[in-house]
Amino acid sequence: MEAWIRLTNILLPPRQARDLLDIFGSPEALFAASGEDLMERGQLRAPAVSKILDPSNGPTNTQLASMERLGARIVPCTDPDYPKALLDVPDAPVALYVRGRLDERDRFAVGIVGTRQASPYGRSVTSRLVRDLCAAGLTIVSGGALGIDGVAHKAAVDSGGRTIAVLGCGLDIDYPQDNRSIFDAIVERDQGALISEFPLGSKPEPFHFPMRNRIISGLSMAVVVTEAGERSGALITAQTASEQ
């Protein structure tokens, strides 16, 4: 698994990483290739070749210790546990970091997203909708953010349903802190999983969240925006759902 962690640490664009795996067959073979081979077969420029060949991009002791402490694991796109719905997304991550448990039932999922500044009405509608969807056996997918996302995850847990939180940072980063108890409940009650494409230690950078949104929509059969402003990131999720 260390080669997969190293591959995510390099932070190659997802499509490029998937293309390289198709060419070389495995991350181990990719890292064993020469610089000349990477340029010729992989069609890579010098900066990308340097990152791939740099051994310092391997798993750090901190990352490995955090994975053990959290009970987290990395799930490559070649693993049977990798969500099948994501395999159809052209720019799907080459691997996911997972805390908790993914289940075959999660293929029947609905994304619930919305504003961080949720109104009482938006919270009420979201909770009621999530309870009904969970009662029908559907998994709730959202982005782990404050507001509508957190309401959706909590309503799923409280109703005994399953939920997946797709995070825009490493699984070891306590963000947002106000949702820590919800995240812990998802894992401790075996009601879903926390997932991220970003390696452990990754901060919640602004550009991570649009990337996260394509995973929310990719995992979901449908996406519902319960409440959002005109500039809300939730509308990016709706747009990626439409494109997918």
Side-chain angles (χ1 to χ4, degrees):
M1 290 294 103
E2 291 194 5
W4 286 100
I5 297 174
R6 180 176 174 181
L7 182 58
T8 63
N9 282 345
I10 293 173
L11 300 177
L12 292 173
R15 293 192 190 201
Q16 184 180 51
R18 293 281 289 271
D19 288 344
L20 289 171
L21 287 177
D22 288 340
I23 293 169
F24 291 94
S26 69
E28 290 84 359
L30 174 67
F31 294 124
S34 66
E36 183 177 300
D37 210 15
L38 291 170
M39 286 186 176
E40 290 183 1
R41 293 177 61 197
Q43 298 293 301
L44 296 176
R45 296 178 180 272
V49 170
S50 296
K51 285 201 298 184
I52 291 172
L53 295 180
D54 185 352
S56 68
N57 285 318
T60 66
N61 290 333
T62 300
Q63 286 178 320
L64 295 174
S66 294
M67 289 181 72
E68 183 175 358
R69 173 176 57 84
L70 294 170
R73 67 191 190 283
I74 187 167
V75 179
C77 59
T78 56
D79 193 296
D81 284 343
Y82 189 92
K84 294 180 178 58
L86 274 186
L87 293 175
D88 295 328
V89 176
D91 56 350
V94 293
L96 294 170
Y97 290 88
V98 179
R99 181 181 171 214
R101 183 173 60 87
L102 297 172
D103 193 281
E104 181 66 19
R105 292 172 292 173
D106 297 333
R107 70 184 189 277
F108 301 113
V110 173
I112 304 288
V113 294
T115 179
R116 286 174 169 81
Q117 289 78 41
S119 69
Y121 173 77
R123 291 174 177 272
S124 174
V125 168
T126 300
S127 293
R128 188 164 67 249
L129 177 60
V130 167
R131 287 196 299 269
D132 289 345
L133 291 170
C134 288
L138 296 169
T139 295
I140 303 302
V141 181
S142 197
L146 298 175
I148 296 297
D149 290 16
V151 171
H153 293 306
K154 186 176 187 304
V157 170
D158 289 347
S159 63
R162 287 187 58 78
T163 186
I164 296 173
V166 186
L167 306 184
C169 57
L171 295 182
D172 57 330
I173 303 299
D174 193 13
Y175 179 86
Q177 290 186 353
D178 287 352
N179 282 351
R180 180 195 304 168
S181 62
I182 301 173
F183 295 158
D184 288 342
I186 292 171
V187 176
E188 291 168 4
R189 299 184 190 181
D190 193 25
Q191 287 182 244
L194 314 178
I195 68 174
S196 176
E197 69 179 303
F198 303 108
L200 274 70
S202 300
K203 304 296 184 183
E205 305 288 351
F207 69 90
H208 286 179
F209 296 96
M211 296 175 66
R212 171 206 65 181
N213 292 347
R214 82 192 193 288
I215 300 177
I216 296 173
S217 56
L219 289 170
S220 306
M221 298 187 300
V223 170
V224 180
V225 181
T226 56
E227 182 181 34
E230 292 182 0
R231 297 179 180 273
S232 173
L235 299 184
I236 298 176
T237 310
Q239 180 62 38
T240 56
S242 177
E243 292 170 355
Q244 290 168 352

